[in-house]
Amino acid sequence: MPQKKPPRGPERYSVFLNIPYDGGFKRLYLAYFAGLSAFGLIPRATLEIPTSQRRLDRILSLLDECTYSIHDLSRVQLDRNAPSTPRFNMPFELGLAVAQDKLQRQQRWYVCETLRRRVNKSLSDLDGTEVHIHNGTIKGVFAALADIFVRKRKQPSVQQMYGIYLVLSRSLPAIMRQAGTTDPYRPRVFRDLVLAARAEQLRLSR
């Protein structure tokens, strides 16, 4: 099977971000934005998907557009709302990325988790895969990203990532207000956070 050509232009810097969208994850949501931007990378996510498009088709298209994907499996426990159900979206999207890697030899996928060894129980098919543990902390996410992208030429410090995080944290209320929402997981908020993180990264690199 012929190998697919690597992406060019902005796509080569794109990272598909597969994370839970809940209030308890907001700090880590911003941490991923800050850390990826510090590396000169661009977060992409299903939040970009227009409601008029079939979600699965767009997820596959997004994965195809990105050189990297990061899959955070922190939310495998049952939720509190009836009926109590585990969330399958994150492992499902990880499976799509793994399949794409096997078929096209393009996608570079990475797994993150809060608790060490939980993936061995929740998704034993990943045995032998390195899982990056962030312990549910901002600096843990930064350390995980530093390990994932250790071979990239650009190597920001945890302090530089945290500086971008602080700017995003301060900017988020205004960004949500301008978008007319209190939900940080809205398409416009996502877009404006990407732009704000990029602007701060460029300012720091001058």
Side-chain angles (χ1 to χ4, degrees):
M1 180 181 295
Q3 292 189 1
K4 186 175 180 178
K5 292 182 180 180
R8 297 180 179 180
E11 292 179 2
R12 65 182 293 195
Y13 301 108
S14 295
V15 182
F16 180 82
L17 196 53
N18 176 18
I19 61 173
Y21 302 142
D22 62 46
F25 202 82
K26 184 174 72 174
R27 293 181 308 115
L28 302 191
Y29 173 61
L30 297 180
Y32 275 115
F33 271 89
L36 291 173
S37 298
F39 276 96
L41 298 168
I42 304 167
R44 307 288 304 278
T46 56
L47 292 173
E48 303 174 49
I49 298 174
T51 55
S52 59
Q53 287 188 281
R54 189 167 183 263
R55 185 179 178 86
L56 182 57
D57 291 341
R58 185 58 181 141
I59 290 171
L60 290 168
S61 178
L62 270 176
L63 282 167
D64 192 52
E65 292 168 11
C66 296
T67 302
Y68 310 98
S69 64
I70 294 177
H71 305 266
D72 194 303
L73 303 184
S74 296
R75 295 294 191 269
V76 294
Q77 68 272 27
L78 296 175
D79 62 23
R80 296 181 179 179
N81 299 323
S84 294
T85 311
R87 302 187 198 178
F88 293 126
N89 283 351
M90 278 73 73
F92 178 71
E93 290 169 24
L94 168 59
L96 294 176
V98 173
Q100 188 176 66
D101 174 42
K102 294 298 182 184
L103 294 172
Q104 299 178 352
R105 306 292 180 189
Q106 176 190 344
Q107 181 67 235
R108 301 179 197 172
W109 52 272
Y110 304 93
V111 179
C112 294
E113 238 283 23
T114 299
L115 301 177
R116 196 171 301 279
R117 292 187 293 276
R118 182 163 61 178
V119 166
N120 301 94
K121 183 177 181 181
S122 66
L123 197 56
S124 60
D125 283 351
L126 288 180
D127 282 353
T129 300
E130 182 178 7
V131 177
H132 300 272
I133 307 300
H134 53 61
N135 298 310
T137 68
I138 295 165
K139 291 187 177 179
V141 168
F142 297 156
L145 293 177
D147 288 339
I148 288 171
F149 298 110
V150 70
R151 286 184 293 276
K152 281 190 66 66
R153 183 164 47 186
K154 185 178 182 61
Q155 289 291 305
S157 67
V158 167
Q159 290 73 24
Q160 289 171 316
M161 296 185 224
Y162 197 70
I164 298 175
Y165 170 84
L166 290 176
V167 169
L168 294 181
S169 183
R170 288 194 293 263
S171 302
L172 182 59
I175 288 174
M176 291 192 295
R177 187 164 56 250
Q178 290 165 2
T181 184
T182 58
D183 181 1
Y185 304 110
R186 296 295 293 266
R188 178 174 168 178
V189 176
F190 178 89
R191 183 203 65 185
D192 289 351
L193 283 172
V194 171
L195 294 175
R198 178 64 174 162
E200 182 62 13
Q201 185 271 328
L202 290 174
R203 187 188 72 80
L204 293 174
S205 64
R206 287 173 189 162

